């Protein structure tokens, strides 16, 4: 495994649409392993392949809603698609490709996602709260959408820390 460089918002790659994954081979597994290692070194909750310069539809999301005493874990989603959205949450959002900047984005409170695993098997997974936000944010990356284009407004450090916005 290797840590890959994360592209920042100036890079045009982040605004391009990613292509579906069609080969569930060693190269994909290497990409996902590297994305896991890269994400584990960062204070983020998700990472999309285009953020490491690969325009393929693959993302990793950390499931943070785990029972007390249990470990958070990473969910790999290949060719993900949101198939249900419910409710609404308005909150602060950031991105490893936009370091130090946060903005207010409204997202569904709950989503259901259909995706393939690294071997091509289809599955469905649900996300609530932060996990739902993260699924939406990472899947947006596959469409070339960076969260700053969805922000109601950007937040100052004081607003972010106080939670009042
Ligand atoms: Zn992001």
């Amino acid at each position: 495994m290797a840590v890959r460089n994360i592209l920042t918002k100036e890079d045009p790659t982040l605004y391009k649409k990613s292509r579906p994954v069609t080969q569930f081979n060693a190269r994909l597994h290497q990409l996902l392993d590297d994305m896991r290692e890269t994400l584990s070194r960062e204070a983020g909750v998700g990472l999309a392949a285009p953020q490491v310069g690969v325009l393929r539809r693959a993302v990793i999301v950390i499931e943070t809603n785990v029972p007390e005493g249990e470990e958070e874990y990473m969910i790999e989603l290949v060719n993900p698609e949101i198939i249900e959205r419910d409710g609404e949450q308005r909150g602060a959002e950031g991105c490893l490709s936009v370091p130090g900047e946060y903005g207010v984005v409204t997202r569904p409170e709950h989503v259901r996602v259909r995706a393939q695993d690294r071997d091509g098997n289809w599955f469905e997974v649900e996300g609530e709260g932060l996990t739902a936000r993260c699924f939406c944010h990472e899947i947006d990356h596959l469409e070339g959408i960076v969260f700053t284009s969805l922000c109601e407004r950007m937040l100052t450090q004081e607003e972010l820390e106080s939670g009042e916005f």
Side-chain angles (χ1 to χ4, degrees):
M1 293 208 283
V3 172
R4 300 204 187 187
N5 283 332
I6 297 179
L7 305 182
T8 52
K9 62 177 181 179
E10 299 76 24
D11 199 302
T13 304
L14 288 175
Y15 305 92
K16 291 182 180 158
K17 192 168 166 162
S18 292
R19 297 182 300 278
V21 171
T22 54
Q23 309 251 25
F24 296 83
N25 55 15
R27 203 166 161 199
L28 174 68
H29 296 181
Q30 184 69 60
L31 170 66
L32 291 166
D33 288 345
D34 289 355
M35 286 171 65
R36 279 175 173 269
E37 182 154 0
T38 305
L39 182 56
S40 67
R41 299 282 178 92
E42 305 284 341
V45 284
L47 187 67
Q51 290 181 278
V52 294
V54 178
L55 286 169
R56 288 289 179 178
R57 303 184 78 84
V59 309
I60 291 182
V61 168
I62 299 181
E63 175 56 275
T64 52
N65 299 324
V66 292
E68 213 181 314
E70 285 185 25
E71 293 249 1
E72 295 181 349
Y73 56 93
M74 293 185 187
I75 305 168
E76 298 176 356
L77 303 165
V78 178
N79 298 325
E81 193 187 340
I82 296 174
I83 55 172
E84 275 175 36
R85 296 171 168 81
D86 303 291
E88 198 174 272
Q89 56 173 318
R90 181 178 172 274
E93 197 162 313
C95 179
L96 293 174
S97 294
V98 191
E101 293 182 44
Y102 298 87
V104 181
V105 185
T106 298
R107 300 282 194 185
E109 177 59 29
H110 168 262
V111 296
R112 178 184 286 272
V113 179
R114 183 169 181 266
Q116 285 168 287
D117 67 16
R118 59 167 60 202
D119 297 311
N121 303 303
W122 287 98
F123 67 100
E124 289 183 13
V125 61
E126 290 181 79
E128 294 278 342
L130 178 61
T131 307
R133 176 178 292 284
C134 195
F135 282 143
C136 295
H137 177 115
E138 300 312 330
I139 292 170
D140 276 352
H141 273 301
L142 306 180
E143 297 299 318
I145 298 167
V146 175
F147 86 102
T148 46
S149 70
L150 305 174
C151 283
E152 202 179 290
R153 63 189 183 85
M154 299 309 285
L155 292 170
T156 64
Q157 196 60 39
E158 289 76 31
E159 287 174 316
L160 183 66
E161 282 166 14
S162 70
E164 285 167 24
F165 45 82

